[in-house]
């Protein structure tokens, strides 16, 4: 139970801080959230700066071009960048955090050489094509079909909840390469393909969320030809290929968000003090309780990171406990924000109001809380398979 | 005792539902919402500039159907019914997510009918006189809802002809133009409810006019307090309608949406979400209806608390049942949630309702039957 | 939507009040809760007084010796007796509210003549033998067997959660008269018997609850002979016979408890005022919210009673909505009581502390909240059958 | 940073668990609980008259295992470990529902070792000197916990030799006899924790003796506040142990209990109850452990809040999973709930913890890593 940093870790933190102090003031202004090309340029520019300073692929293995940093170093990196107000990973999210690691783990040498360096340099942007309208919680129900035709697959179907699709170069795509039969379980027959987003037959349609913005898109695929060489892993083995990365987590998935929670909470307290609501003990105690919850999220993160460091990786199920609590606290935080704002919580021009809308997705995205509880019950607690 | 709806009440409710479905079908709701600049909560301005404007044609039809004149005496051209019937009508409006300052116009119609200076409320010309017929759109400014800096949010100000101003004790009517001159449009979280921020210090009556308070402190105080209570109850009725509707929506989705080879409504987790939603809605119904009968301030506070809770939490649970689909702009779930948030901020806050009920515990009981 | 009383109802209420004012002061002192014979005597004495005054079997049909009162009259009766502090139905609960109505509905003329009058007069006490250690939520899993031997059934097995078993004359018993086979669903093969509690082979063992008291008992049956003539309804039709009564409800099941909730809440408010905790807005607002909840329980009761009156009876599923809310509010009420008491909530000698323990059963007894939600989801909302 | 348990910490925890299982197995717990007059919460008196008395033999064994001397320097005959190790030991005690004034005796052992008048705490003879060895039983009287009328509840007073009195700012030791003379036995809701009500106005030191406060306000204040914080944290550790245990108990029952032809743990409603219990327990674990490392008052307040909540709510959910069985005296579930209630009332209330954390939001952040 040691929460202090080693000398190496302190050193890493201080060098990072010094670098951030130097470069952040020189960054260009943040782009308009609705201007996708500008966002891409901004995010990729930041990634290039990280790359040039030696911070790109911090948590990737050295063989893949990464820095092979420990989970604690990665934690420090995410903590410090968030606290310094550095840009978020943004458009590089899928490349750095999922597609890249998948290619690093399962790709051929040629595939690694082709796709990994541009991700680290911020030259190419990836998006994710997993979910489908009829395959949400039940991802294995995906129907997008890929039929072999010579050296290509011909792919038809549609994907949903794809971020940055408008500006991505590549899409990590899950497709069905063998039909589901009584003998073929649904998790077989799925393959992982790297789809070039400029291929003929790819249509991207922005998907407007309840927050009024179009952070996601639908991707329609109409007989799109994808070279067989773009398949990572064996044919029909795509489920395993994907889950290797999805289920491997080092406890760092939400570091920035947890730091942000604390910042929002302190800001809420200041606002409440300014507008007089701080004098209401009901609200004040509610904020106090949220402070305990935010502390807990941070400590849980440190716990998971330490366990990952000790054991070489936290199975994804460990993250379910964290995510259940995190989603709940995050939503309660914005409910408290509404309480602080009073009637002004109806003014979407006020801070937190749109964030509150966005936070409604927390108990749904990346595995609903219901699915997470199933995972905890069955895989951690060992209860019999339900349903 | 027979708490059930009478045959006439059932007929009224069915009529109102039919009216809403015919005149304000889903397509029309979506037109209001989607027209709104394409921006929604996070987009440009929108409020007060046409987007979300009250549909005068629909307003007149509501007037023709007696929605605003429901409680006016038949002699005064009204329908001659009471608060229970008004609650049923407002429940249906809430169910349909009908936008507009329904409660304020309904109350203003009541004031107009009695005519100035009866009940001590001066009438600002024809505006309020037309409220009963749906010719006038009347919104409300509740000075008790003043937040930090004393500003108040007013819905549909740009569409309104007149504003019912509820002061500390007195109430009055001012023209929308007057109030609007100092108002600032706000980017409303609810795309169907434009909001303006009006600075503090607005008086129920313009200088030189008489407000109800000047008739004598007792009557004046009573008038504003009564109007606020009735508005709170009618708003609670809309929350109830929304809460009932989101149960139905969630159940319909749960029956149709298939995941893991079966309708998700066969999963206990989803079943139990839906069951809890129904419990909230039916609980709210019982107190809203009872408050309409008794008009007791404690009963109304209970109705406000439970109806607000039912509308907000049911909308959230409905969203959860819908999963990703519920997070889209296309689904109607978010419209219920946003409207429920708007309504929950109006007339009586949860804190005020709880304090009122707590105070009621100190006066000796006997609240039963 | 009429909440006022008719002239008849007012008249009924006033006569009842006058009678209660007259007789209650003359009642003997309440017996020690641990003295079962004294409790029986007290409860039966009260029932005899009700009988003699014309209030026995108020809600029973006239053909069964009852008064054929409307649900509203029954509501008024329960409300007024609770508010006047009159004795609770106690030992006569099963006879008046379940076994009696079952016999009235399904028994032969002879059975009705034998068993109903002593229930109404307070001469005979019934208890209920439904639940078994392995058949709780899943009542149809009951295993107590009855084998036909001449004019008798020979019954062996055990029952649990039986109140007043120590002093009951009769037990309404569900037994399995045909084994479960692939062709015989579990709900068939069950029969309803009236078991004389003094029959050889019946053993009663008190069951101590977490509240420290023995309000319930286990009943062990070792080759007990029960005459076939004691069977109500056809052989193997006992499930239906039982459910007819269980599922028929006039909304009045919890009237006394709802009245009591309000009384407890007002008493909490007075105590909080006296000990200073009323000045804490967190507590005060919590009590305010509970006031809304208590109001709602009363209005829901009036709603259900009115619906029962209008339609001739509320199906049991309507009661599930009420019971879910009621159980929750009742538990929250006692949590609030603990908040009012502060550290004194640890003193079992203080009012409400033992009630708080007892309230823990509300979400379990007579159908857990989980089962109730299933009923609401499947039978009211029409969701597909789960599990 | 390595928040994981060290090998030594793992070994300590395993050793403590083994000790508890060997020396305080379930049969012994049940003997304590069932001996208690057959009355339980609702029965006669019980408290302080033998029922629920501290088992001196067990107490000495705990002493021999270093439970009370865990944090004393080795030079002083202690184990030389820190608060994190103490928290692990107390977690195991909470898991086993070990009764007795564990935190008070542990803290008194620390005071005794430094010897009067070092740290400004006078020692009342041999009583506290034997605390480290488990020869003395020391309970605590926290005057800050005074309720209406100023009275305080004290656990295990009849079994105790000495009482650690925490005053407003100062702390001291008084004999149990002294304190007991004005105390009145209370019918404790927890059959394994006898309680006495002690009237207000007890001072940390008897007249003529010196309490820590007299050494100078700063040091004195610090001492009492530090003791209270450590006690709160050690009690939170017990709550954590109980919360973890009730998850395991619920899961074990859910796997075995068959209804509707399958283990009830296959029903999503039960699965999700159990999953939520685990989330509460693991969340509490992370803050309790972290607070043991940082000893920060805000961290301790968070630990108190989340551990109390985890213990109480997990016990209730465990009871729900057990159904009727959980409502019986024979099941252990109620013992966890009742003890959790007792512990939640000790040292720092939820209200105080929330206010402390709220105040912490005003001092600028930087609470991370």
């Amino acid at each position: 139970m040691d929460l202090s940093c080693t000398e190496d870790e302190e050193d890493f933190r201080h060098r990072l801080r010094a670098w951030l102090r130097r470069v952040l003031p020189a960054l260009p202004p943040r782009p308009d959230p609705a201007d996708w090309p500008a966002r891409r340029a901004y995010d990729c520019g930041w990634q290039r700066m990280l790359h040039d300073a030696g911070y790109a692929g911090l948590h990737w293995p050295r063989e893949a071009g990464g820095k092979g940093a420990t989970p604690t170093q990665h934690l420090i990196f995410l903590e410090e960048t968030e606290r310094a107000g550095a840009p978020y990973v943004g458009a590089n999210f899928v490349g750095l955090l999922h597609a890249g690691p998948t290619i690093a783990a399962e790709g051929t040498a040629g595939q690694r050489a082709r796709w990994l360096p541009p991700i680290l340099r911020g030259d190419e942007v990836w998006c994710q094509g997993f979910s489908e309208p009829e395959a949400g919680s039940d991802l294995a129900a995906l129907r997008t079909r890929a039929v072999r035709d010579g050296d290509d697959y011909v792919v038809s179907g549609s994907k949903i909840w794809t971020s940055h699709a408008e500006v991505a170069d590549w899409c990590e795509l899950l497709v069905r390469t063998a039909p589901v039969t009584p003998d073929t379980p649904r998790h077989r027959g799925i393959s992982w393909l790297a789809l070039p987003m400029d291929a003929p037959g790819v249509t991207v349609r922005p998907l407007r969320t309840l927050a009024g913005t179009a952070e996601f898109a639908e991707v329609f695929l109409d007989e799109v030809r994808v070279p067989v060489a773009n398949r990572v892993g064996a044919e029909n083995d795509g489920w395993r290929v994907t889950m290797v990365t999805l289920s491997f987590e080092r406890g760092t998935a939400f570091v920035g968000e947890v730091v942000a929670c604390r910042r929002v909470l302190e800001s809420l307290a200041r606002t409440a003090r300014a507008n007089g609501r701080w004098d209401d003990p009901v609200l004040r105690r509610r904020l106090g309780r949220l402070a305990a919850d935010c502390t807990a999220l941070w400590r849980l993160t440190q716990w998971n990171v330490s366990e990952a460091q000790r054991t070489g990786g936290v199975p994804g199920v460990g993250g379910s406990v964290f995510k259940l609590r995190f989603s709940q606290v995050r939503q309660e935080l914005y409910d408290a924000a509404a309480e602080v704002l009073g009637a002004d919580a109806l003014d979407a021009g006020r801070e937190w109001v749109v964030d509150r809308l966005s936070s409604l997705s927390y108990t749904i995205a990346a595995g609903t809380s219901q699915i997470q509880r199933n995972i905890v019950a069955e895989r951690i607690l060992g209860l019999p398979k339900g349903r | 005792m027979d708490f059930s709806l009478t045959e006439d009440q059932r007929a009224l409710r069915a009529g109102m539902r039919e009216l809403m479905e015919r005149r304000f079908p889903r397509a029309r709701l979506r037109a209001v919402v989607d027209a709104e600049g394409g921006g929604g909560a996070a987009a440009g301005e929108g409020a007060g500039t046409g987007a979300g404007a009250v549909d005068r044609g629909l307003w007149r039809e509501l007037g023709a159907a007696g929605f605003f004149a429901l409680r006016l005496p038949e002699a005064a051209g009204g329908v001659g019914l009471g608060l229970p019937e008004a609650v049923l009508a407002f429940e249906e409006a809430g169910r349909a997510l009908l936008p507009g300052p329904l409660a304020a116009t309904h109350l203003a119609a009541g004031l107009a009918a009695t005519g100035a200076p009866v009940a001590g409320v001066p009438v600002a010309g024809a505006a309020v006189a037309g409220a009963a017929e749906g010719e006038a759109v009347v919104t409300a400014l509740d000075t008790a809802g003043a937040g930090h800096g004393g500003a108040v949010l007013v819905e549909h100000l740009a569409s309104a002809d007149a504003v019912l101003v509820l002061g500390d004790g007195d109430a009055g009517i001012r023209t929308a133009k007057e109030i609007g001159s100092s108002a600032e449009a706000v980017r409303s979280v609810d795309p169907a409810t434009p909001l303006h921020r009006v600075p503090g210090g607005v008086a129920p009556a313009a200088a030189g006019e008489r407000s109800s308070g000047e008739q004598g402190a007792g009557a004046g105080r009573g008038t504003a307090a009564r109007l606020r209570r009735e508005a709170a109850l009618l708003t609670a009725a809309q929350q109830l309608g929304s809460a009932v509707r989101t149960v139905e929506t969630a159940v319909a989705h749960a029956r149709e949406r298939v995941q893991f080879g079966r309708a998700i409504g066969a999963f206990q987790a989803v079943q139990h979400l839906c069951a809890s939603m129904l419990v909230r809605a039916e609980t709210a119904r019982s107190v809203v209806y009872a408050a309409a009968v008794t008009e007791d301030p404690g009963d109304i506070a209970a109705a406000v608390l439970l109806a607000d809770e039912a509308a907000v939490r049911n909308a959230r649970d409905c969203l959860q049942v819908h999963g990703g689909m519920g997070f889209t702009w296309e689904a109607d779930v978010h419209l219920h949630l946003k409207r429920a948030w708007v309504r929950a901020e109006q007339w009586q806050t949860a804190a005020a309702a709880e304090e009122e009920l707590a105070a009621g515990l100190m006066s000796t009981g006997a609240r039963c039957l």
Side-chain angles (χ1 to χ4, degrees), chain A, chain B:
Chain A
M1 282 192 217
D2 185 358
L3 291 171
S4 64
C5 286
T6 64
E7 216 168 291
D8 278 1
E9 288 161 357
E10 279 301 339
D11 189 48
F12 175 79
R13 184 192 297 274
H14 284 122
R15 277 186 296 118
L16 176 59
R17 273 192 192 164
W19 180 75
L20 288 167
R21 260 196 308 272
R22 203 169 61 243
V23 304
L24 291 183
L27 277 184
R30 303 239 167 178
D32 176 347
D35 183 346
W36 286 102
R39 284 175 65 170
R40 178 191 158 123
Y42 183 85
D43 295 345
C44 288
W46 171 242
Q47 179 61 27
R48 182 58 183 250
M49 287 168 67
L50 288 172
H51 177 266
D52 293 348
Y55 291 112
L58 197 64
H59 64 294
W60 285 19
R62 289 186 185 280
E63 317 82 83
K67 306 297 169 199
T70 61
T72 299
Q73 283 175 324
H74 195 206
L75 172 72
I76 292 170
F77 174 81
L78 295 166
E79 183 193 358
E80 292 296 331
T81 46
E82 174 68 30
R83 292 175 81 177
Y88 181 57
V89 63
N92 299 298
F93 183 89
V94 171
L96 285 169
L97 290 156
H98 197 262
T102 302
I103 293 164
E106 300 282 333
T108 63
Q111 289 173 329
R112 294 159 70 150
R114 164 67 191 88
W115 284 318
L116 299 185
I119 291 174
L120 293 173
R121 277 197 312 269
D123 287 344
E124 288 183 354
V125 165
W126 287 67
C127 63
Q128 191 175 70
F130 286 4
S131 294
E132 299 182 4
E134 301 300 318
S137 291
D138 184 14
L139 184 55
L142 63 88
R143 296 182 193 172
T144 294
R145 285 182 57 229
V147 179
R148 186 80 173 255
D149 181 32
D151 287 341
D152 289 340
Y153 289 107
V154 180
V155 182
S156 293
S158 66
K159 295 290 178 179
I160 197 169
W161 304 118
T162 303
S163 299
H164 298 99
E166 289 87 340
V167 294
D169 304 291
W170 298 94
C171 178
E172 57 165 343
L173 194 69
L174 288 183
V175 294
R176 190 161 290 289
T177 36
V180 178
T181 67
D183 297 330
T184 314
R186 300 179 321 152
H187 299 80
R188 300 289 308 166
I190 292 172
S191 299
W192 191 107
L193 304 179
L195 163 79
M197 288 296 285
D198 59 0
V202 177
T203 310
V204 173
R205 196 178 74 182
L207 180 67
R208 195 172 172 203
T209 71
L210 53 76
T213 54
E215 273 303 307
F216 304 95
E218 288 181 276
V219 178
F220 298 93
L221 305 165
D222 182 17
E223 304 208 341
V224 180
R225 298 193 80 86
V226 180
V228 172
N230 285 14
R231 193 190 66 227
V232 169
E235 189 169 271
N236 298 333
D237 197 28
W239 185 262
R240 189 195 58 76
V241 165
T242 303
M243 291 303 141
V244 162
T245 309
L246 268 193
S247 67
F248 180 85
E249 211 250 283
R250 310 201 311 170
T252 51
F254 294 92
V255 173
E257 304 244 32
V258 171
V259 174
C261 273
R262 175 81 194 182
R263 191 181 54 229
V264 169
L265 187 58
E266 286 174 3
S267 177
L268 285 179
R270 280 192 302 273
T271 303
R273 184 94 109 179
N275 74 15
R277 297 205 178 228
W278 185 255
D279 297 335
D280 173 7
V282 178
L283 175 67
R284 202 170 58 234
R285 285 180 52 185
R286 187 167 167 184
L287 296 180
R289 183 164 282 266
L290 279 166
D293 288 326
C294 287
T295 297
L297 293 175
W298 182 249
R299 299 312 187 186
L300 268 179
T301 299
Q302 292 179 311
W303 182 263
N304 284 345
V305 165
S306 298
E307 289 290 304
Q309 196 144 283
R310 198 168 65 86
T311 62
V314 187
V317 287
S320 292
V321 168
F322 177 87
K323 183 167 184 284
L324 279 164
R325 189 74 178 206
F326 170 75
S327 317
Q328 182 202 334
V329 170
R330 196 83 206 243
Q331 293 183 350
E332 286 174 6
L333 182 66
Y334 287 112
D335 285 343
E339 202 65 37
V340 169
L341 290 172
D344 281 350
L346 306 177
D347 176 356
R350 290 294 301 256
E351 204 182 351
W352 307 313
V353 176
V354 174
D355 292 335
R356 184 188 193 196
L357 290 170
S358 300
S359 79
L360 295 169
S361 72
Y362 281 98
T363 46
I364 294 172
T368 65
S369 291
Q370 283 70 32
I371 295 284
Q372 300 291 356
R373 285 190 203 102
N374 279 7
I375 291 173
V376 170
E378 293 172 12
R379 297 199 220 157
I380 304 183
L381 297 176
L383 287 170
K385 185 127 180 72
R387 294 156 224 155
Chain B
M1 184 199 77
D2 185 3
F3 195 12
S4 302
L5 272 55
T6 62
E7 280 309 313
D8 284 352
Q9 287 169 337
R10 275 168 220 282
L12 172 80
R13 183 166 68 175
M16 282 293 165
R17 183 168 305 185
E18 197 269 338
L19 174 73
M20 301 293 167
E21 281 167 1
R22 187 161 42 81
R23 298 298 305 154
F24 194 70
R26 178 165 191 271
R28 204 145 158 191
L29 168 66
R30 292 310 312 199
V32 171
V33 168
D34 297 333
E36 180 266 333
E45 38 173 77
T49 60
V54 170
D55 178 337
R56 293 274 177 169
L58 177 58
W59 212 248
R60 270 181 220 108
E61 283 197 75
L62 287 172
F67 192 92
F68 303 119
L70 207 59
R71 294 192 292 144
L72 298 186
E74 292 184 65
V79 190
L81 295 172
L83 208 45
E85 286 76 17
V87 153
L88 293 174
F90 274 73
E91 179 186 344
E92 291 305 318
R95 181 188 170 82
L97 277 176
L98 187 74
L102 297 165
T105 303
H106 177 96
L107 291 175
L111 298 178
T114 53
V118 181
V121 178
V123 179
V128 177
E133 299 78 27
E135 294 294 335
V137 174
V138 185
T139 187
L141 189 163
D142 181 4
T143 58
H148 184 52
V152 186
L153 295 182
V154 175
E155 65 165 301
H156 288 99
L157 181 58
S159 296
D161 302 299
V163 181
L164 172 62
V165 180
L166 299 182
D168 188 25
D170 47 352
I173 295 286
R174 313 253 326 235
T175 66
K177 208 169 159 188
E178 261 183 295
I179 303 293
S181 63
S182 63
E184 163 207 11
V186 153
R187 186 138 54 86
S188 173
V189 76
D190 174 13
T193 308
L195 294 173
H196 276 75
R197 184 176 282 115
V198 176
V202 174
E209 280 188 63
R210 295 190 315 172
S211 81
S212 67
E214 293 163 12
Q215 295 282 315
R221 269 211 125 63
T223 304
R226 177 181 61 78
L227 291 174
R228 202 174 268 121
R229 279 201 305 273
E230 289 183 5
L233 178 62
L234 295 173
T235 304
Q238 289 171 275
Q239 296 285 58
L240 167 63
S242 172
V244 170
R245 179 59 171 269
T246 48
V247 187
E248 292 171 12
T249 307
V251 167
H253 181 79
R255 281 156 126 164
E256 275 168 28
R257 172 77 172 171
V258 172
Q259 291 281 272
F260 304 103
R262 57 204 301 187
I264 61 170
F267 292 99
Q268 244 184 354
V270 174
Q271 292 190 328
H272 288 195
L273 272 177
C274 293
S276 298
M277 291 170 74
L278 184 74
V279 171
R280 268 183 229 122
E282 292 304 315
T283 307
R285 183 195 301 283
S286 73
V287 281
V288 169
Y289 288 4
V293 174
T294 68
E295 303 187 24
D296 172 79
D299 282 347
I300 290 174
V304 166
L305 269 185
L306 296 179
D308 283 347
E309 184 187 44
V312 171
R313 293 193 55 191
N314 277 14
R316 290 184 79 144
D317 283 353
C318 182
L319 200 158
Q320 188 68 20
V321 168
H322 277 72
M325 298 299 146
F327 194 65
T328 64
W329 184 266
E330 275 169 67
D332 295 346
V333 192
H334 68 106
L335 303 175
H336 281 279
L337 178 58
K338 291 165 176 175
R339 193 75 64 84
W341 282 343
V342 169
R343 293 194 199 106
E345 288 296 335
Q346 294 174 329
W347 312 113
Q348 187 175 41
T349 62
E354 285 165 354
E355 290 287 7
E356 166 132 33
L357 285 155
L361 286 173
M362 282 302 167
S363 60
T364 180
R367 289 276 305 289
C368 291
L369 201 63

